[in-house]
Amino acid sequence: MADITIFQARTIVTMNPSAPKATHVAVRDGRILGVGALSDLQGWGDYELNTQFADMTLMPGFVEGHAHAMEGTLWRHVYCGFFDRMDPNGKVWDGLKTLDDVLDRLKQAEAELTDPDAPLTGFQLDPIYMDNITVTRHDLDQVSATRPIGILHASGHILNVNTKALELAGMMRTGLNHPGIELGADGMSIGVLKSPEVYMPVGPIIGLDRAATDADEPGLRDFAKLCVRTGTTTVTDLASRLDDNAVEMMLRVTGEPTFPARVVPLKFFMGHTPEELISITLEHKKKSTDQLRLGRIKVIADGSIQGFSARLRWPGYHNGAPNGLWYIAPEQLSEIYHRALEADICVHTHTNGDQATDLALDMLSPALTAHPRPDHRFTLQHCQLADPAQFRRMKSLGMCVNLFANHHFYWGDEHYRLTVGPERAERMNACRTALDNDVPMTIHSDAPVTPLAPLFTAWCAVNRITASGRVQGEAEKISVEEALQAVTLGAAYTLHLDGEIGSIEVGKHADFAVLDADPTTCDPTTLKDIGVWGTVQGGRIFAAADL
Ligand SMILES: [Zn+2]
């Protein structure tokens, strides 16, 4: 049997400007030997011609620069989201439009539990779509007063719990004093826990075993199914605790011959001193493999805009909500930056609000003066409210940005009406401004916050249509080519992987998204509707239909 496979496609979109389109790609040992016409490739020797994609389009496998593998684990729990959504097995769950709908689905799931002490866990709740109501422990007590219940919000930044969960966590008492714990008239928590710092200790009590941030083994496998279904061949796990057992598990699972994605986990900063964080990350870096890329850090500076926990500059929230929460002290962020630059470790920093973006820029500037590091690729994640001056500062500091394009669709209307008002909503997630200022840019889903689907993410950045159908921010639209670049080479660049993945050209990994149509020639408003047959990853074929 020949050790070269030549895949034939209707079109191959290479993302390599010197040979943008082709019909054949030759693969050996999981890597690309050449791309072009069949006659260009025959000189490499004996080959097997694979024509199964002859009617399809190949693109570089999509690279998701901001997602969380915990989505795989969450799907074993009760879906409480507002929008219809596909699970790892391809089943589409109906969105729930009212709190009563949510409570009904929870009651149904509760009735099916046989162990009276088992926790009931839900995910993807988002009360902002329900007139921004506050869901309290009393609401969830209607589902059960005797078993612990926890419902993670879509933002991932807030956990709703019932009274039993608070009891088991030792939190049904007065005197709790934390900005992330809202108290009722009785001086007790109302069951809304804001920020992972506050809710992580409650995670195991309500059934989120790995403290809510990590995928477990079946979860990681399920998450990989979502990757195949969406054409994604490299995916970040952007805030992983990465304890020893988790690293061992991830190395083992991603190393299996049938595991279909390259995973890039970033070590979550919480729970460690900056010094520990760097030494753990340096140890992880040594264990890195082709399919599991270790050795990066994720820091979170603030919360979420739709949860009103992001840090905004003046004039703050449009509806008058108090400013959000800091997740890190300036001194701690500064020390992480200094030490990481010294150790040549890349740090990605979540900043939703513009005040948080300022903090990151203010802390990085002196750290870079102390430890100059060319090509550091420190990346601001989300960075939703950045204004042009902040993009210019990113450029001058050599930073990359990963903008939350999906927000235009999912929360654009709420941002316009409620959180930041029309003017700032129009320019949120400013892809055009980033590119015009020459800041290396990618766009993301933040799955599970919004669904993993790079073609949908590209559609969001190109069309900027909100859930109600309005175009929001005409001036920040980017072209289809720019959006496709963002979800391939753009994301690869933020991970220092652009020399290996993100385009179809000689020497790179044979990672392809197999599509029903060519995104570069379709109507841009239909980008999100292009069918994904599956992927080729490292030369191995994965059909979504066979998962
Ligand atoms: Zn995230």
Side-chain angles (χ1 to χ4, degrees), residues 166-219:
L166 287 172
E167 272 171 28
L168 292 173
M171 293 171 75
M172 266 312 281
R173 58 186 175 82
T174 55
L176 294 171
N177 181 17
H178 189 288
I181 305 174
E182 195 182 328
L183 304 178
D186 56 0
M188 306 277 203
S189 162
I190 62 168
V192 184
L193 307 180
K194 293 187 180 181
S195 89
E197 182 195 352
V198 174
Y199 74 64
M200 274 168 75
V202 188
I205 292 168
I206 55 92
L208 292 171
D209 291 344
R210 300 196 58 82
T213 57
D214 290 15
D216 56 11
E217 182 169 340

Side-chain angles (χ1 to χ4, degrees), residues 294-468:
L294 295 156
R296 294 167 184 80
I297 289 172
K298 166 75 176 299
V299 171
I300 299 192
D302 67 342
S304 78
I305 300 169
Q306 70 277 20
F308 302 94
S309 57
R311 290 293 306 193
L312 269 55
R313 294 190 300 201
W314 189 89
Y317 286 102
H318 188 242
N319 67 344
N323 208 347
L325 298 175
W326 288 117
Y327 283 25
I328 190 166
E331 303 74 29
Q332 191 187 2
L333 183 61
S334 172
E335 191 182 343
I336 291 171
Y337 283 174
H338 275 269
R339 287 180 181 275
L341 286 166
E342 205 173 16
D344 197 15
I345 289 172
C346 186
V347 180
H348 287 217
T349 306
H350 157 128
T351 68
N352 257 320
D354 45 9
Q355 196 177 51
T357 295
D358 265 352
L359 178 73
L361 294 166
D362 290 347
M363 294 300 118
L364 185 61
S365 181
L368 271 170
T369 307
H371 312 281
R373 178 66 69 181
D375 206 25
H376 55 77
R377 304 197 196 180
F378 275 38
T379 300
L380 293 180
Q381 293 285 345
H382 305 322
C383 203
Q384 297 202 71
L385 282 172
D387 69 8
Q390 289 180 319
F391 282 103
R392 288 189 284 272
R393 288 185 75 193
M394 286 173 226
K395 169 63 182 170
S396 71
L397 295 174
M399 298 195 88
C400 309
V401 71
N402 190 354
L403 297 169
F404 202 162
N406 288 21
H407 246 76
H408 304 307
F409 179 78
Y410 283 101
W411 288 283
D413 295 315
E414 283 69 31
H415 291 319
Y416 190 93
R417 170 174 72 75
L418 202 59
T419 68
V420 296
E423 183 179 345
R424 286 176 290 177
E426 290 279 338
R427 66 152 169 77
M428 280 179 79
N429 294 294
C431 294
R432 181 78 269 147
T433 301
L435 292 178
D436 288 351
N437 283 289
D438 213 14
V439 178
M441 184 207 70
T442 181
I443 48 181
H444 67 273
S445 67
D446 200 10
V449 176
T450 72
L452 177 70
L455 282 173
F456 173 78
T457 302
W459 173 87
C460 289
V462 167
N463 297 287
R464 291 184 69 98
I465 292 171
T466 67
S468 70

Side-chain angles (χ1 to χ4, degrees), residues 11-33:
T11 311
I12 300 175
V13 178
T14 68
M15 305 308 288
N16 170 12
S18 71
K21 296 251 171 132
T23 54
H24 293 75
V25 55
V27 173
R28 188 175 71 196
D29 298 332
R31 297 172 70 186
I32 296 165
L33 202 51

